């Protein structure tokens, strides 16, 4: 008679969520010729994400992909909104492809929102993208004001600062990295870097 073993009761973690703070390097260049985008490396130097925009003239549709080119998030810009609005659609077998996973609304220059550049809505949760002193630096903060991710120009351990096209992304624990990377992508579209 075969033995039956109970399934492990340990909680399974989303592959895009970590129990520890994660650091990524964003290179604002696409791996593919004739496309706009960026490449994201983990702390071991392995490629984790790719962002590609196949239409040079239009930034209305951008794809966040894994290393193998599997689309994780499609980002669409809706032109009907006067200040700019982007929707992110998660691409997996159980997600509803008709309902957006998140929405990013750009704040207008004329509306004084302090250092906030845009608002992110994910279901019932809200986040803000906050501009920092450097032109390439920004952070993503939660409704409670806690920083959940920060992007700044990459600095080597020797103190040398790399160019504007090499950034460091630090993501706090228990945060979906693919969501953060999608928000970073939208902010890059807003700033016209992708």
């Amino acid at each position: 008679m075969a033995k039956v073993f109970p399934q492990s009761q340990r909680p399974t973690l989303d592959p895009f969520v970590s129990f520890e703070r994660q650091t990524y390097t964003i290179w604002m260049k696409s791996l593919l010729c004739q496309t706009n985008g960026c490449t994201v490396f983990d702390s071991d130097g392995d490629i984790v994400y790719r962002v590609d925009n196949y239409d040079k003239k239009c930034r209305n549709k951008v794809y966040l992909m894994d290393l193998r080119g599997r689309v994780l998030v499609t980002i669409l810009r809706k032109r009907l909104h006067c200040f700019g609005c982007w929707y992110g659609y998660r691409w997996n077998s159980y997600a509803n492809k008709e309902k957006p996973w998140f929405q990013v609304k750009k704040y207008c220059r004329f509306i004084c929102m302090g250092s906030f550049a845009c608002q992110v809505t994910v279901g019932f949760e809200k986040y803000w993208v906050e501009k920092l002193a450097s032109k390439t630096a920004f952070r993503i903060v939660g409704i409670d004001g806690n920083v959940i991710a920060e992007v700044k120009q990459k600095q080597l351990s020797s103190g040398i600062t790399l160019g504007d096209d090499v950034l460091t992304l630090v993501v706090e624990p228990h945060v979906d990295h693919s969501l953060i990377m999608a928000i970073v992508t939208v902010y890059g579209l807003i700033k016209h870097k992708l």
Side-chain angles (χ1 to χ4, degrees), residues 83 167 188:
F83 300 128
L167 307 172

Side-chain angles (χ1 to χ4, degrees), residues 63-189:
Y63 301 98
L64 173 64
M65 297 177 276
D66 64 8
L67 170 63
R68 292 183 173 82
R70 183 176 59 115
V71 175
L72 303 173
V73 181
T74 299
I75 300 167
L76 301 173
R77 180 176 184 191
K78 302 295 183 182
R79 293 218 179 253
L80 300 175
H81 298 277
C82 58
F83 300 128
C85 190
W86 288 260
Y87 292 94
Y89 295 86
R90 183 180 255 178
W91 286 92
N92 54 33
S93 59
Y94 59 87
N96 180 353
K97 293 176 181 56
E98 300 299 320
K99 183 178 179 190
W101 179 29
F102 67 88
Q103 175 188 36
V104 178
K105 288 183 185 176
K106 177 183 171 186
Y107 287 130
C108 178
R109 278 186 257 181
F110 306 114
I111 299 173
C112 183
M113 291 304 295
S115 60
F116 293 128
C118 49
Q119 177 185 335
V120 181
T121 305
V122 185
F124 295 109
E125 295 183 56
K126 291 204 185 298
Y127 303 98
W128 285 271
V129 176
E130 179 181 17
K131 298 179 280 187
L132 299 175
S134 168
K135 68 178 183 176
T136 57
F138 63 95
R139 63 175 62 138
I140 301 169
V141 296
I143 198 163
D144 54 4
N146 290 335
V147 176
I148 60 169
E150 186 169 356
V151 176
K152 58 186 173 186
Q153 198 169 354
K154 183 154 181 96
Q155 186 173 18
L156 301 177
S157 58
S158 62
I160 296 172
T161 302
L162 300 178
D164 288 344
D165 63 343
V166 183
L167 307 172
T168 296
L169 167 63
V170 178
V171 181
E172 294 300 322
H174 309 289
V175 178
D176 189 324
H177 303 151
S178 63
L179 172 65
I180 297 302
M181 194 56 222
I183 295 169
V184 169
T185 300
V186 171
Y187 191 68
L189 292 168

